[in-house]
Amino acid sequence: MLTELPAHDTGLSATQAALVTQALNPDANWASVVNGAYAELGGPRFDSCYIEESLQQLAAGPTPVIRGTLPNPLRRAPVAGQAFPQAAYDAHRNSRLSLTDIGLRLAAGQADMADYVPIHRWWGNTELTNDTLWRWNAQKQCVLEPQ
């Protein structure tokens, strides 16, 4: 679970880093990136909804890290009598993904996500923001307090 804290060098959580790595593939699409990240992380550590939400967050905001995502039609409430939106779902799952310039820099370990993207999320009872960002150092296996 500590690996889901932002990394000390890139500011990416383990899930985000796996998604960025998978998006380096020139044939990357939504399904291959999510499934590849799931496999890279070792399977059922988190459910696919968490991984998909992490991907959506990387593709949104003022400085996207990943580009090419299409809206997920399953995020809308179903309408009685309306058929399953198969074509929209297939387009979403097969949308071609690629890294933005900042995404490429993050993948190369040459950038810190906190310098480009507003961070605001809860990790347990700890609020993480760009100003209060606890980080994980995988090499030393320790948590680093905000600087």
Side-chain angles (χ1 to χ4, degrees):
M1 190 67 165
L2 291 171
T3 59
E4 284 306 300
L5 282 170
H8 76 285
D9 51 356
T10 64
L12 294 170
S13 70
T15 298
Q16 291 170 328
L19 291 164
V20 166
T21 299
Q22 295 301 314
L24 281 168
N25 182 334
D27 296 323
N29 63 32
W30 182 277
S32 70
V33 168
V34 168
N35 293 335
Y38 193 74
E40 185 178 323
L41 293 166
R45 195 166 105 180
F46 298 106
D47 66 11
S48 61
C49 292
Y50 176 80
I51 294 174
E52 288 187 23
E53 182 63 29
S54 296
L55 176 53
Q56 193 58 46
Q57 290 171 356
L58 289 172
T63 311
V65 174
I66 295 176
R67 69 173 140 246
T69 61
L70 294 176
N72 184 344
L74 301 182
R75 289 220 175 245
R76 291 177 287 201
V79 177
Q82 190 176 48
F84 181 78
Q86 189 67 51
Y89 180 71
D90 290 344
H92 160 72
R93 298 278 296 162
N94 295 315
S95 58
R96 302 290 253 165
L97 304 184
S98 61
L99 295 177
T100 62
D101 289 341
I102 186 62
L104 290 168
R105 293 185 60 223
L106 284 165
Q110 299 171 344
D112 188 323
M113 183 128 155
D115 292 338
Y116 298 93
V117 178
I119 296 173
H120 185 245
R121 65 180 186 256
W122 287 87
W123 189 79
N125 285 337
T126 304
E127 184 177 20
L128 301 177
T129 68
N130 295 67
D131 295 329
T132 61
L133 200 56
W134 290 83
R135 293 177 180 252
W136 175 246
N137 185 320
Q139 289 80 21
K140 294 182 180 179
Q141 295 285 293
C142 68
V143 176
L144 304 174
E145 64 184 283
Q147 297 296 318

